[in-house]
Amino acid sequence: MKFFIDTANIDEIKKGVDMGMVDGVTTNPSLIARENKPFEEILKEICTVVDGPVSAEVVSLEAEAMVKEAKVLAALSDKIVIKIPMIMEGMKAVKHLTAIGIKTNVTLVFSAAQALLAAKAGATFVSPFVGRLDDIGQHGMELINEIMTVYRNYDYLSEVIVASIRNPLHVMDAAMIGADIATIPLKVIEQLAQHPLTSIGVEQFLTDWEKRTK
Ligand code: G3P
């Protein structure tokens, strides 16, 4: 399973890379806005520290304008993947970008029907948002099951990025289903390593070690 880190913060990304847990990065306009730096500067910096795809989102809502934005972003680095919202104009843009060899990540996916359209358009990645579905009382993880079934039925090559992850259970449920990628906040990556019995065990071993015959 690949882990992407869901942040535009360079310090968080460096920490994740140091842990050896970062196979790529996803950003979105809200994450970029938190950084108080120009968009392109942030993306270039991220691309210098990460080996792997770096998703950068367009903000236009019409296909032609999305493609124009995408070309500028894609020219920054061959790691850049263009994040496109799951709207019909977005699907037109994905089709065009795929044809000219620019990778895409279709975002804001909340149904298997949307994921089917994204795969048909040729999306490299598709991002269903599990946490936001849970927030409105729907089972986010059921959506991942449905999408994986549809993609397997037709051998679609689009990779599923489980997004809007809020806790370690989201990651493990996605892993049990066999989702290709989870994009995870740094805090949740760190939580994945934690277990109270591990902490107790480490402490006990050190205490016993001090009592050994010297
Ligand atoms: O990058 C998209 C996604 O992961 C957003 O997560 O927590 O804002 O729903 P969240």
Side-chain angles (χ1 to χ4, degrees):
M1 188 184 202
K2 282 176 272 183
F3 279 9
F4 289 178
I5 189 164
D6 198 25
T7 180
N9 183 277
I10 197 73
D11 294 328
E12 290 189 357
I13 293 168
K14 282 180 181 164
K15 274 191 198 163
V17 168
D18 267 0
M19 293 173 196
M21 290 296 155
V22 171
D23 303 303
V25 176
T26 52
T27 68
N28 62 40
S30 309
L31 293 171
I32 293 288
R34 283 183 208 160
E35 297 308 311
N36 297 315
K37 271 191 269 179
F39 187 22
E40 294 188 10
E41 196 181 303
I42 296 172
L43 292 176
K44 281 191 208 156
E45 205 176 356
I46 295 174
C47 289
T48 60
V49 298
V50 174
D51 269 336
V54 175
S55 287
E57 191 158 340
V58 297
V59 289
S60 303
L61 296 177
E62 284 165 7
E64 206 177 310
M66 286 180 190
V67 169
K68 204 170 157 198
E69 265 189 76
K71 285 180 178 167
V72 173
L73 296 172
L76 296 176
S77 162
D78 55 12
K79 293 175 188 170
I80 297 287
V81 171
I82 307 303
K83 226 171 167 186
I84 304 268
M86 179 54 239
I87 55 177
M88 219 53 243
E89 284 295 302
M91 296 309 93
K92 284 197 238 168
V94 169
K95 188 122 195 129
H96 184 88
L97 292 170
T98 305
I100 60 172
I102 294 179
K103 291 185 177 153
T104 56
N105 173 0
V106 173
T107 188
L108 292 167
V109 168
F110 293 98
S111 75
Q114 290 179 322
L116 176 58
L117 293 194
K120 279 184 71 62
T124 319
F125 301 103
V126 177
S127 294
F129 279 28
V130 292
R132 292 192 195 184
L133 280 172
D134 291 353
D135 290 345
I136 60 158
Q138 297 187 14
H139 292 290
M141 216 42 74
E142 273 175 18
L143 173 61
I144 305 305
N145 243 323
E146 289 173 12
I147 296 173
M148 293 304 293
T149 302
V150 171
Y151 283 12
R152 283 174 186 145
N153 283 347
Y154 296 98
D155 293 330
Y156 280 125
L157 297 178
S158 307
E159 288 189 80
V160 174
I161 305 180
V162 181
S164 186
I165 280 184
R166 306 275 167 78
N167 55 56
L169 262 185
H170 277 148
V171 180
M172 290 323 299
D173 286 343
M176 293 297 287
I177 293 167
D180 306 282
I181 302 153
T183 189
I184 320 173
L186 178 68
K187 191 184 105 195
V188 178
I189 297 179
E190 289 168 341
Q191 285 173 336
L192 285 165
Q194 292 161 11
H195 195 285
L197 291 178
T198 306
S199 313
I200 292 167
V202 166
E203 206 175 309
Q204 184 68 56
F205 283 153
L206 290 181
T207 308
D208 292 344
W209 179 249
E210 286 311 314
K211 293 180 198 150
R212 77 193 184 282
T213 306
K214 293 177 190 153

